[in-house]
Amino acid sequence: MAIVLGLPKGSLQESTFALMKRAGFSMTCSSRSYVPTVNDPELRCRLIRPQELARYVELGLMDAGITGYDWIYENGSDVHEVCEMCYSKATSRPVRWVVAVPNDSPIQSVKDLEGKRIATEAVGLAQRYLEQNGVKATVEFSWGATEVKAPELVDAIIELTETGSSLRANNLRIVDTVLTSTTRLIANKAAWGDPVKRRKIEQIAMLLQGALAAESRVLLKMNAPAEQVETISKILPSLHAPTVNRIDAEGWVAIETVILEDEVRDIIPSLRAAGAQGIIELALNKVIF
């Protein structure tokens, strides 16, 4: 039984395809196609705008999908959230929907939006935000290029930002954060209740999370005198205890462990001082916890 998996079309597409490949799912898709081919006979993929994807999963037109929490929230979609995956277009940080205004605007807080005109692609999100803060304002749907609409067309915008560079380039400053969002793997509730489909969706989740975990970690291998194993083990911040194996050279062992990549720079000199030799750092595709 094939699983129909919705993948985000647009800004997340390239990073999602790269993540799927690291997880073991190689895909190809022409620029005009919405049906990628994938090297898994149990998987059928469809490219859908992330704004719509959660709704189609809720309706059962897709068994599962990858989209942002913001669009699940915007549509009020009743789906099962399988797992959170911290990746986006450019970084691994969450993205934010923010209220932004021109640098010289008198607006300093959400209360100053009273009676103002706001443009956004996420109308439902914006309206709920204003209601929660007791503010009445006009919210209009923006078809794109939202940053250029303030101040000539609207007083403020509610826009998605990852690094803030586009807002700064358009002379806008952030007034408040409306919602913080991360990417989620979601499933249709009926599909999640089907043992066969659920097993496949859980396998996809495990592999995707393993690929994400591997991005920040490396495998460190080395040889060391047997009498230095305890000293070296204390230096290594491993997932568990490091793996130690005997080698042919008498009195020497091989040690390997998985550590965070940004710790390697500081650890290698200490390992060398403790007697480790032949230290090798290797990139990883997946780390399954």
Side-chain angles (χ1 to χ4, degrees):
M1 184 183 299
I3 292 293
V4 181
L5 177 68
L7 301 175
K9 176 76 173 176
S11 61
L12 265 183
Q13 180 178 332
E14 186 175 340
S15 56
T16 300
F17 272 39
L19 175 61
M20 291 287 289
K21 184 175 182 179
R22 293 196 303 275
F25 304 99
S26 295
M27 296 188 298
T28 57
C29 187
S30 68
S31 59
R32 295 186 178 184
S33 175
Y34 288 82
V35 185
T37 58
V38 59
N39 63 338
D40 185 341
E42 296 181 346
L43 198 59
R44 291 160 51 201
C45 295
R46 299 290 183 269
L47 281 174
I48 302 292
R49 282 170 56 85
Q51 294 91 328
E52 305 172 292
L53 203 152
R55 185 164 56 87
Y56 289 133
V57 171
E58 178 184 13
L59 293 172
L61 301 174
M62 296 178 181
D63 297 303
I66 296 175
T67 189
Y69 170 73
D70 47 354
W71 296 115
I72 302 170
Y73 180 83
E74 166 74 5
N75 294 311
S77 300
D78 184 19
V79 295
H80 177 78
E81 292 189 25
V82 181
C83 65
E84 180 181 31
M85 300 183 295
C86 291
Y87 80 96
S88 49
K89 177 183 176 181
T91 72
S92 60
R93 299 195 303 266
V95 295
R96 294 185 298 154
W97 284 91
V98 298
V99 178
V101 299
N103 286 324
D104 58 358
S105 170
I107 296 172
Q108 298 295 329
S109 72
V110 59
K111 297 300 182 182
D112 296 330
L113 295 173
E114 183 71 33
K116 299 295 192 292
R117 182 180 297 276
I118 304 168
T120 183
E121 189 178 355
V123 173
L125 183 152
Q127 290 174 335
R128 273 182 267 181
Y129 167 74
L130 293 172
E131 288 172 6
Q132 290 166 3
N133 286 278
V135 173
K136 292 184 178 180
T138 300
V139 179
E140 61 182 41
F141 179 75
S142 174
W143 291 93
T146 308
E147 295 95 334
V148 303
K149 295 179 178 178
E152 292 185 359
L153 303 177
V154 296
D155 302 292
I157 65 171
I158 292 180
E159 179 67 341
L160 186 67
T161 183
E162 187 172 344
T163 64
S165 58
S166 181
L167 296 176
R168 291 190 294 271
N170 286 278
N171 297 312
L172 299 173
R173 59 178 169 83
I174 295 173
V175 172
D176 193 16
T177 296
V178 177
L179 182 75
T180 299
S181 176
T182 54
T183 306
R184 310 289 171 95
L185 174 63
I186 60 175
N188 170 267
K189 288 193 170 181
W192 188 251
D194 182 308
V196 176
K197 290 188 175 184
R198 177 169 177 168
R199 189 180 308 115
K200 183 63 177 180
I201 295 169
E202 287 177 331
Q203 290 173 355
I204 294 169
M206 178 184 67
L207 294 170
L208 290 173
Q209 289 181 301
L212 283 171
E215 286 185 342
S216 59
R217 292 170 171 83
V218 295
L219 176 65
L220 209 59
K221 301 171 64 112
M222 69 207 76
N223 294 330
E227 66 269 15
Q228 290 297 101
V229 169
E230 185 176 350
T231 300
I232 289 174
S233 295
K234 291 178 180 178
I235 296 171
L236 293 171
S238 59
L239 290 174
H240 301 290
T243 301
V244 180
N245 293 309
R246 294 181 180 275
I247 58 176
D248 289 340
E250 187 175 349
W252 285 76
V253 296
I255 301 175
E256 61 181 49
T257 190
V258 174
I259 67 172
L260 291 170
E261 185 176 13
D262 57 11
E263 295 177 335
V264 174
R265 178 190 61 199
D266 299 322
I267 287 174
I268 286 182
S270 299
L271 294 172
R272 190 70 181 85
Q277 296 182 9
I279 302 171
I280 301 174
E281 177 185 345
L282 300 173
L284 301 169
N285 278 332
K286 286 180 280 295
V287 176
I288 308 298
F289 292 98

